[in-house]
Amino acid sequence: MTDHSLDEFLDLARRAGLTFTADEAPRMHEGWRKLRSQLLPRLPADPDMASEPALVFVPTGAGVAR
């Protein structure tokens, strides 16, 4: 994975509709770099879908029986 500079990261963020203050930008960039370098490589490439959490959809207006 390419390690983007702060300016490149901010450009990616802007294109995604995100803006950061001058104080937030370096911290968000560092967190994003750590996410990409430490967390993402540990995720399985082809996870077993049976062990993954299920998405639950509750239609608007539906109630929950207790």
Side-chain angles (χ1 to χ4, degrees):
M1 284 186 226
T2 306
D3 196 17
H4 297 285
S5 70
L6 177 58
D7 290 334
E8 291 170 321
F9 167 73
L10 291 174
D11 185 49
L12 289 171
R14 267 192 297 279
R15 286 188 272 147
L18 301 171
T19 56
F20 303 114
T21 65
D23 291 335
E24 293 172 330
R27 293 193 329 252
M28 295 301 289
H29 179 241
E30 183 64 22
W32 180 72
R33 287 179 58 227
K34 286 183 179 179
L35 173 84
R36 290 176 50 98
S37 68
Q38 295 175 15
L39 178 63
L40 294 182
R42 293 183 4 213
L43 296 176
D46 190 20
D48 178 15
M49 295 308 287
S51 66
E52 292 293 309
L55 296 176
V56 176
F57 172 71
V58 178
T60 304
V64 176
R66 295 190 191 269

